[in-house]
């Protein structure tokens, strides 16, 4: 036998938020499971915002927790600030949101995976799915190793043929400079799977020492913290918290953005992908809402291990010099130093209409999908899909009935139903381009 060959019940491709929940669900249901990642150092990585929960997302995390998922427990272990949003409104819309220590979140999730029986972690790039007579047989890695399994769950997030872009700089990597996965798309297409090209973006991370916090509004955590997980002892989460900060863009920020839109890769056509829902860049917001003379900027710590701060609300793919200029117009950021530039990322994902409500592909028995790979966006959205895909793949192997949550039962049901029944490609960037062309930028 020339290459390594192993047999599992279930293969999970991807150890992001979807893959971790999928693999934990399968292993906890007693099935021999292997989870692949391009880097074990990036298990449950948060490549964008440093928080879990918020409006609707907080509900998803709590539903996931009630079903046996891990995200709620993990954020309870690793949060550095917690806040119940919408408290001035009725209890149905109260939404829990917690700032995470990013490294600790990732470390603790890895620890959980490593201490779960029947779960094997493997750093390798999956390059092919193996299908015979419409039924999944397993996967092959780029080294030629074959992993046979009764079910495969694809949770590849933003890594397939990924490209990170700002201005005229384009790097062929996944998030945070991690290796992209360049082969799997072709295998999926060869097996009749329709693929889309999507894009999303992230703001710059800046050095906290270069910020004048006295010009910003302090955002404190709740005095009495409510845990995410129903199984967390409420006393264990009462601890010292860090502050976040609120500031705003202004006319000068917007003038700089508008006058440099022609240098945006969105405008030049260097970015082809459309955006997943609800992830507008600051240039998108400025163009789409010309009547708004300011936008919120939430300045949030990335963790206790660093003084890097996240500039929530200011995602961008403008060139480096424009990023500096626009950020420095914001009160408190006049002398800001960037640690990591803002960038957009393009990646391959599927047309999720190819999935059943169980998240199994209609055409390939035993092949499931979860997370950003399904065209959604967000850690929480990814986690709940990964969990449901994991449960349903396990049910299939165990010969038991699969589980579909109804729209009337759970936010998870609404999310998945939308994904598998509604078109999921917004034309936000075409829209941005046409609006820019219709209104020439001021000098
Ligand atoms: C730049 C950027 C900006 C973002 N902005 C936002 C935002 O504003 N709002 C928001 O809600 N969300 C945002 N996100 C999305 C958020 O990061 C994702 O929704 C979330 O991480 C998706 O989780 P996932 O598990 O689906 O995928 P990911 O977290 O991307 O994890 C994918 C996993 O798959 C593995 N993998 C992929 N292909 C292979 C392969 N072939 N072989 C082996 N392993 C493989 C990777 O190693 C990784 O472990 C952003 C992401 C990025 C990168």
């Amino acid at each position: 036998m020339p290459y390594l060959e192993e047999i599992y019940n279930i293969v999970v491709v991807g150890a992001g938020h979807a893959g971790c929940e999928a693999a934990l669900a399968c292993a906890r249901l007693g099935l021999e499971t292997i989870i692949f990642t391009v880097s074990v150092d990036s298990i449950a990585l948060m490549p964008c915002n440093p928080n879990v929960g918020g409006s609707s997302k907080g509900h998803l995390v709590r539903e996931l927790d009630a079903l046996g998922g891990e995200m709620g427990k993990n954020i309870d272990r690793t949060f550095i600030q917690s806040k119940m949003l919408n408290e001035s409104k009725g209890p149905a819309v109260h939404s829990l949101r917690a700032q995470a220590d990013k490294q600790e979140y990732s470390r603790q999730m890895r620890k959980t995976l490593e201490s779960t029986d029947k779960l094997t972690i493997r750093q390798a790039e999956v390059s092919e799915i193996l299908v015979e007579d419409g039924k999944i047989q397993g996967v092959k890695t780029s080294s030629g190793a074959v992993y046979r399994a009764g079910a495969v769950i694809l949770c590849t997030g933003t890594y397939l043929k990924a490209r990170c872009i700002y201005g005229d700089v384009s790097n062929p990597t996944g998030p945070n400079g991690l290796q992209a996965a360049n082969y799997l798309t072709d295998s999926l297409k060869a097996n009749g799977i329709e693929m889309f090209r999507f894009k999303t973006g992230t703001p710059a991370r800046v050095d906290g020492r270069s910020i004048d916090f006295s010009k910003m509004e302090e955002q404190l955590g709740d005095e009495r913290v409510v845990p995410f997980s129903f199984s967390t002892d409420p006393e264990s989460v009462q601890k010292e918290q860090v502050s976040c900060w609120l500031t705003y863009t202004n006319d000068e920020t917007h003038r700089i953005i508008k006058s440099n839109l022609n240098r945006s890769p969105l405008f030049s056509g260097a970015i082809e992908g459309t955006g997943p829902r609800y992830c507008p860049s600051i240039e998108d917001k400025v163009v789409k809402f010309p009547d708004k003379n300011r936008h919120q900027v939430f300045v949030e710590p990335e963790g206790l291990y660093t003084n890097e701060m996240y500039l929530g609300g200011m995602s961008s793919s403008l060139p480096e010099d424009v990023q500096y200029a626009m950020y420095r117009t914001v009160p408190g950021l006049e002398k800001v130093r960037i640690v990591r530039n803002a960038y957009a990322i393009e990646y391959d994902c599927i047309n999720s209409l190819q999935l059943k409500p169980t998240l199994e592909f209609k055409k390939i028995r035993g092949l499931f999908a979860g997370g950003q790979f399904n065209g959604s966006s967000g850690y929480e959205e990814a986690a709940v899909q990964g969990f449901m895909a994991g449960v349903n793949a396990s049910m299939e192997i165990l010969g038991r009935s699969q589980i579909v949550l109804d729209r009337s039962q759970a936010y998870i049901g609404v999310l998945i139903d939308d994904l598998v029944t509604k078109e999921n490609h917004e034309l936000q960037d075409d829209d941005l381009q046409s609006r820019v062309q219709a209104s020439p930028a001021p000098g």
Side-chain angles (χ1 to χ4, degrees), residues 13-20 36-39 42-49 57 122 124-127 155-160 164 174-176 179-184 200-203 278-280 310 315 343-345 370-373 376-383:
V13 185
H17 306 281
C20 288
F36 286 93
T37 169
V38 299
S39 162
S42 67
I43 288 173
L45 176 81
M46 296 177 147
C48 195
N49 50 305
K57 289 166 173 267
R122 189 75 168 91
E125 181 181 342
V126 170
S127 53
C155 304
T156 56
T158 56
Y159 287 70
L160 294 191
C164 294
N176 285 10
Q179 183 193 317
N182 288 319
Y183 303 107
L184 190 55
T200 186
T202 196
Y278 316 125
C279 277
Y310 174 89
S315 284
Y343 64 94
I345 186 166
Q372 195 115 353
F373 177 68
S376 64
S377 179
Y379 310 136
E380 304 80 356
E381 293 83 346

Side-chain angles (χ1 to χ4, degrees), residues 84-141:
M84 189 66 83
L85 308 179
N86 300 334
E87 276 200 305
S88 60
K89 300 179 184 142
V93 293
H94 291 182
S95 282
L96 195 53
R97 183 176 187 274
Q99 294 295 129
D101 181 302
K102 282 188 170 180
Q103 279 193 2
E104 202 46 32
Y105 188 89
S106 177
R107 216 177 275 141
Q108 288 295 330
M109 188 62 88
R110 179 174 173 176
K111 205 168 148 188
T112 302
L113 298 189
E114 286 177 351
S115 52
T116 300
D117 286 345
K118 295 183 182 287
L119 183 50
T120 301
I121 300 170
R122 189 75 168 91
Q123 177 171 302
E125 181 181 342
V126 170
S127 53
E128 285 178 42
I129 52 164
L130 307 174
V131 183
E132 274 173 31
D133 300 328
K135 165 89 180 80
I136 196 80
Q137 306 295 320
V139 299
K140 195 185 242 189
T141 66

Side-chain angles (χ1 to χ4, degrees), residues 14 63 122 133 166 179 214 216 268 278 297 339 394 402 425:
E63 287 179 0
R122 189 75 168 91
D133 300 328
Y166 57 91
Q179 183 193 317
S214 69
M216 301 180 174
S268 70
Y278 316 125
V297 183
V339 179
S394 303
Q402 297 189 317
H425 43 117

Side-chain angles (χ1 to χ4, degrees), residues 20-39:
C20 288
E21 295 289 351
L24 286 169
C26 299
R28 285 169 175 169
L29 285 163
L31 297 164
E32 284 296 343
T33 306
I34 184 164
I35 182 169
F36 286 93
T37 169
V38 299
S39 162

Side-chain angles (χ1 to χ4, degrees), residues 281-352:
S281 60
I282 185 67
E283 41 273 33
D284 206 18
K285 288 194 265 190
V286 165
V287 171
K288 277 190 178 163
F289 305 104
D291 300 339
K292 279 200 106 182
N293 58 7
R294 67 176 197 173
H295 293 279
Q296 289 177 322
V297 183
F298 285 97
V299 181
E300 301 172 336
E302 291 256 304
L304 299 179
Y305 60 94
T306 177
N307 56 27
E308 263 186 273
M309 306 290 283
Y310 174 89
L311 299 181
M314 287 197 84
S315 284
S316 178
S317 57
L318 287 165
E320 189 172 54
D321 57 300
V322 183
Q323 291 187 27
Y324 257 105
M326 73 172 182
Y327 288 135
R328 285 186 168 178
T329 61
V330 174
L333 300 181
E334 293 86 349
K335 294 183 179 164
V336 80
R337 286 191 305 273
I338 293 178
V339 179
R340 306 179 206 218
N341 288 324
Y343 64 94
I345 186 166
E346 265 194 330
Y347 55 93
D348 292 344
C349 60
I350 56 162
N351 178 351
S352 52

Side-chain angles (χ1 to χ4, degrees), residues 37-321:
T37 169
V38 299
S39 162
V40 285
D41 297 322
S42 67
I43 288 173
L45 176 81
M46 296 177 147
C48 195
N49 50 305
N51 33 64
V52 166
S55 297
S56 315
K57 289 166 173 267
H59 288 68
L60 288 176
V61 180
R62 297 192 114 191
E63 287 179 0
L64 176 62
D65 183 66
L67 291 165
E70 194 61 28
M71 183 171 247
K73 295 190 186 77
N74 207 47
I75 187 64
D76 284 346
R77 290 182 203 112
T78 58
F79 79 94
I80 55 178
Q81 193 205 80
S82 177
K83 210 169 171 54
M84 189 66 83
L85 308 179
N86 300 334
E87 276 200 305
S88 60
K89 300 179 184 142
V93 293
H94 291 182
S95 282
L96 195 53
R97 183 176 187 274
Q99 294 295 129
D101 181 302
K102 282 188 170 180
Q103 279 193 2
E104 202 46 32
Y105 188 89
S106 177
R107 216 177 275 141
Q108 288 295 330
M109 188 62 88
R110 179 174 173 176
K111 205 168 148 188
T112 302
L113 298 189
E114 286 177 351
S115 52
T116 300
D117 286 345
K118 295 183 182 287
L119 183 50
T120 301
I121 300 170
R122 189 75 168 91
Q123 177 171 302
E125 181 181 342
V126 170
S127 53
E128 285 178 42
I129 52 164
L130 307 174
V131 183
E132 274 173 31
D133 300 328
K135 165 89 180 80
I136 196 80
Q137 306 295 320
V139 299
K140 195 185 242 189
T141 66
S142 55
S143 64
V146 168
Y147 295 84
R148 301 213 170 267
V152 170
I153 308 171
L154 299 173
C155 304
T156 56
T158 56
Y159 287 70
L160 294 191
K161 293 202 169 158
R163 206 160 60 100
C164 294
I165 308 149
Y166 57 91
D168 57 8
V169 177
S170 170
N171 295 315
T173 70
N176 285 10
L178 287 158
Q179 183 193 317
N182 288 319
Y183 303 107
L184 190 55
T185 297
D186 292 344
S187 170
L188 298 176
K189 283 185 179 167
N191 281 287
I193 294 174
E194 186 192 353
M195 304 295 292
F196 285 153
R197 190 89 176 135
F198 270 15
K199 77 113 185 63
T200 186
T202 196
R205 312 302 193 272
V206 300
D207 187 335
R209 293 170 302 174
S210 63
I211 297 176
D212 182 352
F213 293 108
S214 69
K215 295 188 177 160
M216 301 180 174
E217 296 165 29
E218 188 169 14
Q219 310 282 300
L220 297 170
D222 287 343
E223 264 179 39
R224 175 86 191 159
V225 172
V226 178
F228 260 105
S229 174
F230 301 102
S231 62
T232 300
D233 171 6
E235 291 313 315
S236 71
V237 292
Q238 311 308 324
K239 62 181 185 188
E240 205 178 317
Q241 300 177 57
V242 299
S243 292
C244 296
W245 306 86
L246 175 61
T247 181
Y248 296 90
T249 61
N250 51 48
D251 288 341
E252 180 57 6
T253 328
H254 300 184
R255 188 195 65 77
I256 290 173
I257 292 169
K258 284 183 190 157
S259 59
N260 283 286
L261 282 172
N262 58 340
R263 296 178 65 203
S264 157
L266 291 177
F267 183 67
S268 70
I271 291 182
E272 299 153 21
T274 53
R277 295 167 193 193
Y278 316 125
C279 277
S281 60
I282 185 67
E283 41 273 33
D284 206 18
K285 288 194 265 190
V286 165
V287 171
K288 277 190 178 163
F289 305 104
D291 300 339
K292 279 200 106 182
N293 58 7
R294 67 176 197 173
H295 293 279
Q296 289 177 322
V297 183
F298 285 97
V299 181
E300 301 172 336
E302 291 256 304
L304 299 179
Y305 60 94
T306 177
N307 56 27
E308 263 186 273
M309 306 290 283
Y310 174 89
L311 299 181
M314 287 197 84
S315 284
S316 178
S317 57
L318 287 165
E320 189 172 54
D321 57 300

